[in-house]
């Protein structure tokens, strides 16, 4: 239901998102792209404009860096200020969404109780690629396929 004045931001490397995005009437921005928001050498860039360090994103996980790229594309028409963009990337996150809880005896605890699908649980596991992990899982299966999650363990 978009018009030519709307903005369509989509993950260009995902065939389903690309198909939906490219079928829109809106102005299309596939990401990541060297022409728009992307990451290079530990920094966010928009085209050739260096914006800020990727460390501005306080949320853990590669998926949150990807989300930040989409967010930069979304706000670019309103501001090209590196300072404003860096401030926005400091978003602390929502409760129960891979939220840091506490460190006890050198072990960091995170609450990701909002991750109610195997896909969201995999994203949480992938957020800590080089660390040992202990998962506490519960709830009903709702007919979900857990094979992608068991592969990660």
């Amino acid at each position: 239901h978009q018009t030519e004045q709307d903005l369509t931001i989509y993950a260009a490397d995902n065939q389903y998102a690309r198909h939906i995005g490219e079928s829109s009437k809106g102005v299309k921005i596939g990401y990541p792209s060297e022409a728009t928001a992307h990451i290079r050498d530990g920094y966010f860039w928009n085209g050739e404009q260096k914006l800020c360090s990727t460390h501005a994103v306080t949320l853990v996980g590669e998926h949150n860096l990807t989300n930040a790229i989409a967010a930069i594309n979304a706000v670019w028409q309103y501001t090209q200020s590196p300072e404003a963009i860096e401030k926005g990337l400091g978003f602390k996150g929502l409760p129960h969404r891979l939220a840091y809880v506490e460190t006890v005896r050198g072990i960091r605890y995170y609450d990701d109780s909002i991750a109610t699908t195997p896909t969201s649980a995999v994203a949480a596991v992938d957020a800590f690629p080089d660390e040992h992990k202990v998962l506490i899982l519960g709830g009903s299966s709702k007919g979900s396929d857990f094979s992608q999650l068991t592969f990660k363990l």
Side-chain angles (χ1 to χ4, degrees):
H1 299 288
Q2 289 191 311
T3 69
E4 292 81 11
Q5 291 77 40
D6 292 320
L7 186 61
T8 304
I9 300 169
Y10 61 94
D13 56 356
N14 179 295
Q15 68 176 347
Y16 303 109
R18 186 175 57 251
H19 174 72
I20 292 168
E22 290 176 351
S23 69
S24 170
K25 293 179 185 174
V27 176
K28 299 165 188 64
I29 299 177
Y31 70 90
S33 168
E34 294 288 319
T36 59
H38 61 280
I39 295 172
R40 182 171 67 220
D41 301 326
Y43 287 87
F44 288 104
W45 296 73
N46 196 303
E48 289 303 313
Q49 183 177 351
K50 188 177 188 180
L51 301 175
C52 63
S53 170
T54 56
H55 294 295
V57 176
T58 57
L59 303 174
V60 297
E62 188 71 27
H63 65 289
N64 283 311
L65 295 177
T66 302
N67 290 341
I69 292 170
I72 292 168
N73 283 322
V75 303
W76 195 250
Q77 64 182 333
Y78 303 106
T79 183
Q80 291 86 45
S81 164
E83 295 80 17
I85 290 171
E86 182 174 15
K87 183 177 180 183
L89 294 176
F91 174 67
K92 302 295 182 212
L94 299 172
H96 314 294
R97 188 173 300 278
L98 206 53
Y100 172 76
V101 176
E102 185 175 0
T103 300
V104 177
R105 291 188 232 151
I107 300 171
R108 292 180 295 153
Y109 290 85
Y110 288 84
D111 172 6
D112 199 34
S113 58
I114 206 158
T116 60
T117 66
T119 302
S120 55
V122 167
V125 170
D126 286 346
F128 306 97
D130 300 323
E131 300 179 34
H132 294 286
K133 298 166 241 351
V134 174
L135 301 178
I136 301 171
L137 304 170
S140 63
S141 72
K142 300 176 196 134
S144 298
D145 175 8
F146 290 92
S147 60
Q148 61 180 330
L149 183 59
T150 55
F151 175 74
K152 295 290 180 176
L153 303 175

